[in-house]
Amino acid sequence: MTQAQQVDRKLSPAAGFWLRNREVLKKEFSVIGTRVPRIESKNKVTGEARYAADMKFPGMLYGKILRSPYAHAKIISIDTSKAEKLPGVKAVVTGKDTIGARYGLWRLREETMDEQGLALDKVRYVGDEVAAVAAIDEDTAIEALDLIDVKYDVLPALLTPEDAVKDGAPEIHEGIKNNISVNRRIEVGNVDTAWDKCDFVMSDTFKTQVVQHVPMENLASVSIFDSTGKLTVYTSTQSAYFVQCLLAMALGMKEGDIRIIRTFTGGGFGCKLELMGDAFCSALLSKVTGKPVRIAYTRRETFVNSRQKTSMKMDVKVGVKKDGKIHAVEFSTTLDGGAHHSYNVTTTMITGILGTLPYRIPNYRYNGRHVYTNLPVTGAMRGHGAMQPVFALDHMIDLIAKQIGVDPAAMRIMNATQPGDVKIPNICHVSSCGLQEAIAGSAERMNWREKYGKLPDGHGLGIGSYGFFCGALYNYFNTKRPYAECWVRVNQDGTVHIFTLMAEIGQGCDTVISMIVAEVLGVGLDAVTIKSDDTGIVTGDTGAFSSRTTMMAGNAAKAAAEDARRQLFIAAGAKLGLKVQDAFDIKDGNIFIVRTGESMTIAEAAMAHQNANKGAPVLGRGIFTPSSHLQEGTVVSPTWSFGSQVLEVKVDKETGQVSVLNSATAHDCGIALNPLAVEGQLEGSIHMALGYALTEICKFDDKGYMINANFQDYKILSALDMPPVDSIVIDTDDIHGPFGGKEAGEGLTIPTAPAIANAIYDAVGVSIKSLPITPEKILRALKEKEGK
Amino acid sequence: MRLPKFEYLGPKTVQEACSLLAQHGDKAKVMAGGTDVLNVMKERKIRPEYLIGLRAISDLSYIKADADGIKIGALTTLTDLANSAVVKEKFPCLAEVPMKMATVQIRNMGTIGGNLCNAAPSADTAPILICLGAKAKIAGPKGERVVALEDFFTGPGKTVLGKGELLVEIQVPNQPAKTAGAYLKMSRVSVDLAIVGVGVVVTREGDSCKDIKITLGAVAPTPIRAKKAEAVVKGKKIDDALLEEAGKIASQEAKPIDDVRGSAFYRTEIVKVYTKRAIKQAMEQAK
Ligand SMILES: Cc1cc2nc3c(=O)[nH]c(=O)nc-3n(C[C@H](O)[C@H](O)[C@H](O)COP(=O)(O)OP(=O)(O)OC[C@H]3O[C@@H](n4cnc5c(N)ncnc54)[C@H](O)[C@@H]3O)c2cc1C
């Protein structure tokens, strides 16, 4: 946001909506709300940052994984003898060398844990891990893979949910009938009696595709078992904690005997959130060889063997009143989970929650079912559980608006969720919500009123709205530790050290956590150092997912800094002779008595504390467990972000090509703690979500092999394809967030696909109900419409 | 992905390169910029024992104008082709092509010779060069020969180059007055191979098209001329109906397949539209 826009936001009461935010903007902060470039950016742009694949240790071996060529097969035998004899090969391991433990994310529900480090008896997708080799270099390891002789008994491959649920279809996981492993249902109001009270009802089917997260850095790990039997793993991950716990389960070790060090992480978006083959196989190979072992994924492996985004087929029925008020929604979806559960046990539920978040739906029924197929594993990805249902519902709104003659933006404002709404009792309660402001703000910025319906043929405007978690609270993982823990140490020289396990993966949380601590302690960012990469130090944080970083780790950091500040105040009070009626303030590195102005530096106070405490430094501890923070009942997320996006497109009617000409996005992230980061997230989100809407899709052949696992054939957008991006930050000052902040990580990816579909519908009058919206689909639809 | 092991040979002259090629036969592969060949090696689709790098041959990168036209050394990078003043002046439609290809980094490495010898049906430099009547100069153990670029390609990844032969030069002849061209490329995103490429060169006479060549890329095993469409347009006054007709006929001449980038249906449709648009654009340039 430029300076001018910031002023504009404060002064113009856009449609009378900003009023609620006035109070907030009056607050005085010195660090919070300033535009801070990422604190680790210099390490990255100079090349001094070391990523997992850059790690080298004396005697280190290189590992490679042998993967199944079949989508579904029994393993009859594995002969590794030839590979073992190849000079340079130090170890070959198969499922027999594992303890055969099953692990998974839902530790509270053991029956959902369906993964094993290496296949024991069966492979379930093309690429499933069958064996692993450690050798003196990667070439030798690759060569050794060819020498492993695996005999398979090939089973029928189930490549679509339709095939997988058929009676008599083979069970991909034993005992899971029809391959349907999860069913979830949500009921609000009474849908069955609601349809009669609607003036207009529409039903349709929508489909979304499988895509991959495409982090710029591929997955990689270096594992080191030392002679005491303890394990250290350097890895590129969003959650050192999950890797630690899952590795302990998979290897039969104690969590405390495993130390995970997160190296600089080049993006994750959900595909580096679990235990993958790189960490598991390198650890096993290190155990066997006693040497450090590195496994770095290729791009194909990141595409196929980390995670992919869940595709869905969604049947949607929406009933509205004459004026456009939504009265009832019935939403049924089938998730194609691929070969294992990953996060989809959760996805099957949250799809039903996130679909309803933007709008008030008095009568709502959701049915979700998760189906196993013999394809790569799908799971969490940025916009998790929201991009699919919101694409369907938010496009449907426009189809209905057209039918009943209501302006789509007005229809959204009329139905928008508002502060204090109870969306789903005991599951989804809203605290702050700036959605109406966001819809009005983004529409106004794009001159909706002047332009909508009045653009030349082939040009169109489209809008999409969304809401998202700020840290889901399901304790499915049975976390034995607090949701977020942070320590803040103030040193004798006035420097401040932060210890957290929240993962900086490129989203800017090291920066925002440092800003929060600096604000509380009245120091500049240059006084702060953050350590966030080591389970050997602070353990209590589950990592970067579910847009939880600012809410969870931010609150923990704030609490820790406040604890440290309290200790400083006590030490300073003793020195300065504080009176009962006096209050302290802390600013610019100084602690001072508000009434007299008497002061001492933070360094002096830290020293005074140590002198008074047998040398113990000022060490603040902060814990954040959101449930204690909430009204009873709001069990899914402490609060929710909201927002709205408007896009202008041009469609070439002869080729079906879509150009995005302009965009404006209004995001309610509570208070924008670091506006620069919010804008960066927005740009990244549009980039990612336009790919999702227009070009990205994982394609498989009829044997389940992914045919486009490279950047020549799988198309993400480049900078050249980016439209202008304009952002409007809606401040709602949330009561739960640290300094009122909410999330700005995932929510922003949600509105783009429906906004594109809506803009195309406005431009050329065709509705495309399956992603990605390729020129070919548009062209076919146009031809059909014109009866050609 | 890592490269498999190979031995790198760096001949200093064309003759040396040709004899190394002849000597090692199928075990050797030529590398110019390497932007195609190294990728397929990483994927282990080919595993040459020897890679014969052409970079040390100093006199293969040039653009020279003479009385007949211009001569482009095979090792000329795509960037140099785009920036060349004489190409811009004499054949602006050719100078524009590299800017529709790849990325800055790839254009700085990738060569025109590599693009042609790689013989992808989608090679972007081929259609317009074929329309311009370009010729390929080939050097080999038995000396040099020159073939029309139109006859250079024999299939996907296949050319007329025989054992021990190298492409050394592309010759583009001078064009008649009032001649201009256009190359239209359809791709999924900015950095992508062509789903369809349509090159057109026209010679204009008043409002009529005196002469025309149309070459289609990515819709057949090699770049192909759309000769029936050319015949429809040649010698006629250009109007919308004729352009529609030409597009339709060109699309019938295309023999596209479904692949990961696009379907045969879509390719056919785009040939129709882009042929029409390219002729129109070229006619305007030729005024
Ligand atoms: C990211 C990316 C984007 C790309 N985008 C495009 C695009 O938009 N359009 C497009 O057409 N291409 C594209 N390419 C492909 C490639 O960059 C071009 O084809 C380039 O011109 C190849 O030139 P080179 O010098 O790198 O060829 P090399 O890889 O060195 O060689 C290619 C082939 O030609 C042979 N060869 C090279 N020179 C000679 C010679 N003088 N005599 C005989 N044989 C020879 C080699 O043996 C090899 O088989 C792209 C590639 C990448 C990696």
Side-chain angles (χ1 to χ4, degrees), chain A residues 725-747:
Chain A
V725 172
D726 195 359
S727 62
I728 304 159
V729 175
I730 309 266
D731 289 325
T732 52
D733 198 12
D734 192 77
I735 54 164
H736 301 297
F739 295 109
K742 300 197 282 189
E743 76 90 30
E746 296 185 66

Side-chain angles (χ1 to χ4, degrees), chain A residues 421-447:
Chain A
D421 280 4
V422 174
K423 308 286 309 177
I424 303 168
N426 296 324
I427 289 181
C428 181
H429 297 200
V430 173
S431 56
S432 65
C433 174
L435 182 55
Q436 286 191 321
E437 294 90 325
I439 298 168
S442 56
E444 189 191 34
R445 184 66 58 83
M446 293 288 286
N447 298 318

Side-chain angles (χ1 to χ4, degrees), chain A residues 114 165 176 178-184 310 333-342 344-345 347-348 368-373 378:
Chain A
D114 62 4
V165 300
I176 304 293
N178 299 85
N179 296 301
I180 301 172
S181 62
V182 186
N183 276 295
R184 288 299 173 106
T310 318
T333 181
T334 299
L335 290 78
D336 182 347
H340 294 285
H341 270 140
S342 178
N344 279 328
V345 180
T347 321
T348 312
R369 61 174 187 171
H370 172 269
V371 180
Y372 283 126
T373 58
T378 65

Side-chain angles (χ1 to χ4, degrees), chain A residues 138-139 142 298 652 654-655 657 695 699 708 712-713 715-717 720-721 775-776 779-780 783, chain B residues 1-3 5 44 186-193 260 263 265-266 269-270 273-274 276-277:
Chain A
E138 211 166 33
D139 292 336
I142 292 171
T298 60
D652 183 330
E654 286 187 315
T655 64
Q657 274 212 314
T695 62
K699 293 189 175 175
N708 62 340
Q712 178 173 309
D713 298 323
K715 276 303 167 194
I716 60 170
L717 305 191
L720 296 172
D721 303 301
E776 174 168 348
L779 198 60
R780 282 187 191 272
K783 283 187 180 294
Chain B
M1 276 290 266
R2 286 169 60 82
L3 280 167
K5 290 207 174 92
R44 287 166 167 69
M186 170 59 81
S187 55
R188 294 166 299 175
V189 292
S190 302
V191 179
D192 194 8
L193 303 179
V260 85
S263 68
F265 158 81
Y266 189 64
E269 288 301 315
I270 298 309
V273 178
Y274 273 17
K276 175 175 85 178
R277 290 185 187 175

Side-chain angles (χ1 to χ4, degrees), chain B residues 17-19 21-23 139-141 162-166:
Chain B
C18 292
S19 63
L21 256 180
Q23 185 191 333
K163 203 175 172 192
E165 285 190 320
L166 278 181

Side-chain angles (χ1 to χ4, degrees), chain A residues 567-568 570-571 605-619:
Chain A
Q567 295 172 33
L568 289 171
I570 290 171
M607 176 70 100
H609 175 94
Q610 284 194 239
N611 289 341
N613 289 280
K614 299 183 194 156
V618 173
L619 183 64

Side-chain angles (χ1 to χ4, degrees), chain B residues 266-284:
Chain B
Y266 189 64
R267 288 189 152 105
T268 308
E269 288 301 315
I270 298 309
V271 169
K272 212 184 278 177
V273 178
Y274 273 17
T275 301
K276 175 175 85 178
R277 290 185 187 175
I279 298 172
K280 201 168 177 180
Q281 200 175 310
M283 282 293 287
E284 252 146 49

